Amino acid sequence: MTWTVLHIIAYAISSAFVALQAKYSFIGIFVLGLTTSYGGSIIRNIVLDILVSNI
């Protein structure tokens, strides 16, 4: 469980930095962070053959 949370935070931080470089608004940073973090986690779980519902 803790690794999943750490991966979600890592995806969110990396996408937030990209959004900051592109000078997005606060809402854009928030949406891009959520989309990337949960999307990346779902793809990671599919590749590792873990149930997606565990997110």
Side-chain angles (χ1 to χ4, degrees):
M1 178 64 182
T2 58
W3 286 110
T4 302
V5 173
L6 289 175
H7 286 122
I8 290 173
I9 291 171
Y11 283 126
I13 289 172
S14 67
S15 63
F17 282 138
V18 170
L20 284 171
Q21 288 178 348
K23 298 181 180 174
Y24 281 19
S25 67
F26 176 74
I27 301 295
I29 294 170
F30 185 73
V31 169
L32 187 64
L34 282 178
T35 305
T36 305
S37 62
Y38 284 108
S41 296
I42 289 172
I43 291 172
R44 186 197 71 234
N45 283 0
I46 290 172
V47 168
L48 294 176
D49 199 26
I50 300 171
L51 291 176
V52 177
S53 63
N54 288 344
I55 295 177

